[in-house]
């Protein structure tokens, strides 16, 4: 969708910049999946889905406001890079969920959405690849839940993802 947001390469560069200049503040990545984007595309067509994606983008940018957030488009959905004091990412995630679960008017249709958020905070000495891996594991767990929501990364999520991959490989 033409959202005007930086794509994966530029957004990963923003992650690297944030990690190199974090100077004691937290660097947290939120991966956001809006559940209804694919349903809208199948039901009303790509043009309407692209309109919804642009509205999601606008709402994310408004929610970010003047905060130290970067917003980008990734294959998994939308990425928000939050820099700041410890705990600021949890507040940011709650604001994002609240903003995205408000009704949307797309064309002449009203659409309600749910979103799922994977949250990961960069460990000391963390790399962009590791931060993305952790956020993807958290988002994967959020996507398994039936009613959306927020999942923060914990080491058990990576272990679970490895176990699921092994099981899938054995079943092939």
């Amino acid at each position: 969708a033409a959202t005007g947001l930086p794509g994966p390469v530029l957004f990963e560069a923003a992650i690297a910049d944030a990690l190199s200049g974090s100077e004691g503040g937290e660097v947290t990545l939120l991966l956001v999946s809006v559940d209804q984007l694919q349903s809208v595309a199948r039901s009303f067509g790509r043009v309407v889905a692209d309109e919804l994606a642009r509205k999601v983008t606008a709402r994310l940018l408004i929610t970010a406001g003047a905060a130290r957030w970067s917003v980008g488009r990734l294959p998994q959905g939308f990425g928000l890079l939050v820099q700041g004091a410890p705990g600021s990412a949890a507040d940011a995630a709650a604001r994002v969920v609240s903003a995205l679960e408000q009704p949307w008017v797309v064309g002449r249709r009203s659409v309600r959405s749910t979103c799922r958020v994977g949250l990961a905070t960069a460990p000391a000495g963390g790399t962009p690849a590791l931060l993305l891996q952790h956020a993807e594991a958290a988002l994967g767990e959020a996507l398994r839940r039936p009613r959306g929501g927020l999942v923060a990364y914990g080491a058990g999520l990576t272990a679970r993802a490895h176990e699921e991959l092994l099981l899938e490989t054995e079943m092939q």
Side-chain angles (χ1 to χ4, degrees):
T3 60
L5 292 175
V9 172
L10 290 176
F11 191 67
E12 288 177 33
I15 294 171
D17 288 346
L19 290 174
S20 68
S22 61
E23 299 173 9
E26 280 188 344
V27 176
T28 301
L29 177 60
L30 309 176
L31 290 182
V32 181
S33 175
V34 178
D35 297 331
Q36 284 65 27
L37 278 175
Q38 292 303 317
S39 298
V40 167
R42 287 189 301 271
S43 298
F44 305 114
R46 178 55 45 201
V47 171
V48 175
D50 286 350
E51 179 185 347
L52 178 56
R54 284 188 294 277
K55 289 184 179 216
V56 168
T57 298
R59 215 175 267 185
L60 287 172
L61 292 171
I62 289 168
T63 302
R68 290 182 53 198
W69 296 10
S70 298
V71 182
R73 190 77 163 112
L74 299 168
Q76 310 86 329
F78 297 88
L80 285 90
L81 188 60
V82 180
Q83 300 176 65
S88 61
D91 177 57
R95 289 172 42 203
V96 165
V97 169
S98 177
L100 295 183
E101 292 190 344
Q102 299 301 313
W104 305 90
V105 176
V106 181
R108 288 183 260 160
R109 299 165 182 91
S110 178
V111 177
R112 290 203 58 84
S113 68
T114 54
C115 69
R116 296 153 199 263
V117 179
L119 179 151
T121 299
T127 64
L130 183 62
L131 183 56
L132 279 162
Q133 177 188 356
H134 289 178
E136 287 170 351
L139 179 60
E141 181 63 27
L143 289 168
R144 282 189 271 292
R145 296 183 178 182
R147 297 187 137 245
L150 165 69
V151 173
Y153 176 78
L157 293 178
T158 301
R160 180 177 175 166
H162 285 220
E163 290 172 13
E164 288 175 358
L165 179 60
L166 289 174
L167 282 172
E168 288 173 15
T169 303
E170 288 175 8
M171 297 175 96
Q172 293 178 349

